[in-house]
Amino acid sequence: MAAPAPQRTSTLKQSHWTVKRHGVITEMCEETVAATPAIRSLCHYSNGILDFAVLRAPLAPLSSLVTEPGDEDSGESLPGSRLLLCAQDLGLVLRPLGTGELMRTVVAGPRGGLWGGRARPGEFLAAVTDLGDGVPATDAAMNRLVTRIRTEIHSLPDELLGGDPVAKAHLASIPAPEGPRIDFGTGAAADTGYEERLRHLWRAHVNTTDLHYAGYYRDWTVVCVGDVFDARELGPRFIDVSVRTRRTAYRDLSRSLRGHVVRLTDALGLIAPPVPGRAPLDRLVLDVQEGAVHVHWTSPHAFLLGVTLDQRQVGHAEQRLAGLARALGDEPDPRRFTTPR
């Protein structure tokens, strides 16, 4: 079977971006868009300034934008520009956790998604997909692209964006020597049976290999959190930041996310309007140099925040969190069966 023909693209460059100095990076980006049908457009920024935009051709204007002829690059770069600003702010929020710089941000919604990542300080790439199922392909392609730019152009090491695909995941059939420490918040119903079901789910998913922390929130109020930060094998990861400080920091992060999610939702809304009755975002990935923070929405009013401290396990940790989210979706919320006072 013959390989599919590459897609046509067009590139809109700013005047400061010259072929002689920057042509290799431009060609890599064009190749990525041409080979990845899920990507609608790809933008490259230097120190916050747009350098060029690679667009799929022919390309209909974003339905949420009204642009004048000749302003296509400005319209296509707007979602990425907003994502860049959000990523800069989120990077500052994550820095006190001591897990390194924010390298990759993935925003997935019901009708499209955004990908943003830095090849090195000051160099940022953003990609847009307007397909509901286009985020995984966009994510994989952009991870490869940024890794190529880092290693082939800048002679920098591979940072394992998205994790190491050959890393071994946790074997669920082998129980952890020590189960996770689990706490319940004010969002939990006063139901002993429900709490025990949550304990069982956390013990089945949170482990010392990939998913090290998981918090469940309803209406931005904590229901249940659990982690294995006290495990002996994770001890070296808390040399600079104590276990107690890290636990507090992730609770604070869950509260501070509210404003950032509003801005990310606005950026995603430039691509496609939200779906009535669904959460505006399906998932959010904040991939740092030592692991990642994953957020999965289980309903318009509830989400899970998961953490891995192992960069090799970023992909496996998200799969584990997705499994926990599916299990929670099957669990009845006892508050729905109580009579309001």
Side-chain angles (χ1 to χ4, degrees), residues 6 11 22 33 38 72 87 95 123 127 167 193 276 292 329 336:
T11 304
H22 314 293
V33 176
E72 293 88 352
R95 191 168 296 166
E123 183 178 3
R336 293 183 297 177

Side-chain angles (χ1 to χ4, degrees), residues 10-331:
S10 64
T11 304
L12 304 171
K13 306 182 185 70
Q14 298 296 313
S15 58
H16 66 272
W17 192 261
T18 63
V19 174
K20 182 177 180 180
R21 295 184 59 192
H22 314 293
V24 177
I25 293 178
T26 307
E27 290 171 3
M28 285 184 172
C29 293
E30 291 170 339
E31 291 170 3
T32 297
V33 176
T36 314
I39 298 179
R40 171 190 169 93
S41 61
L42 188 163
C43 295
H44 186 282
Y45 303 83
S46 295
N47 297 316
I49 299 173
L50 176 68
D51 299 315
F52 65 87
V54 182
L55 317 179
R56 183 160 310 288
L59 187 64
L62 287 168
S63 59
S64 57
L65 296 177
V66 178
T67 60
E68 297 294 331
D71 287 342
E72 293 88 352
D73 56 340
S74 299
E76 287 295 329
S77 68
L78 188 55
S81 297
R82 292 192 178 182
L83 180 62
L84 168 58
L85 295 175
C86 290
Q88 289 174 338
D89 292 341
L90 285 165
L92 294 175
V93 172
L94 294 169
R95 191 168 296 166
L97 289 164
T99 50
E101 298 298 316
L102 178 61
M103 306 183 298
R104 160 180 166 259
T105 305
V106 181
V107 183
R111 292 174 172 167
L114 294 167
W115 187 100
R118 63 115 171 96
R120 62 176 179 173
E123 183 178 3
F124 187 86
L125 290 89
V128 170
T129 179
D130 53 4
L131 302 177
D133 60 352
V135 173
T138 299
D139 188 16
M142 293 303 296
N143 289 344
R144 290 192 297 269
L145 172 62
V146 168
T147 298
R148 285 189 64 200
I149 292 174
R150 281 186 60 83
T151 58
E152 297 178 21
I153 304 299
H154 302 313
S155 301
L156 294 171
D158 181 353
E159 293 187 300
L160 296 178
L161 291 178
D164 185 351
V166 302
K168 292 184 179 180
H170 173 71
L171 297 177
S173 59
I174 302 177
E178 298 178 7
R181 166 181 163 165
I182 300 172
D183 295 314
F184 295 95
T186 56
D191 183 302
T192 303
Y194 180 61
E195 289 188 357
E196 188 55 38
R197 287 194 295 272
L198 291 180
R199 288 183 188 277
H200 173 74
L201 289 175
W202 257 248
R203 289 170 184 149
H205 291 84
V206 178
N207 61 83
T208 57
T209 303
D210 44 50
L211 185 60
H212 300 140
Y213 174 103
Y216 181 38
Y217 294 81
R218 189 184 296 117
D219 295 323
W220 296 98
T221 302
V222 64
V223 175
C224 177
V225 294
D227 66 68
V228 289
F229 290 166
D230 290 319
R232 182 176 182 272
E233 50 265 57
L234 294 183
R237 300 187 182 276
F238 296 91
I239 293 175
D240 297 327
V241 180
S242 70
V243 168
R244 180 176 180 180
T245 299
R246 191 71 62 84
R247 285 183 177 131
T248 301
Y250 286 124
R251 294 257 191 143
D252 292 342
L253 173 63
S254 67
R255 288 190 288 267
S256 68
L257 273 179
R258 192 170 190 172
H260 297 289
V261 166
V262 171
R263 296 171 60 198
L264 292 170
T265 300
D266 288 343
L268 193 60
L270 295 173
I271 304 167
V275 176
R278 287 185 58 173
L281 302 184
D282 290 337
R283 45 186 283 262
L284 170 66
V285 180
L286 304 174
D287 191 350
V288 292
Q289 290 173 297
E290 297 179 26
V293 175
H294 303 280
V295 186
H296 281 222
W297 275 261
T298 59
S299 77
H301 305 287
F303 67 89
L304 273 165
L305 186 149
V307 174
T308 180
L309 301 176
D310 188 337
Q311 185 58 30
R312 300 167 302 169
Q313 297 289 344
V314 167
H316 293 318
E318 182 161 24
Q319 293 174 11
R320 191 82 55 193
L321 188 72
L324 179 56
R326 289 191 296 270
L328 280 171
D330 295 334
E331 287 290 326

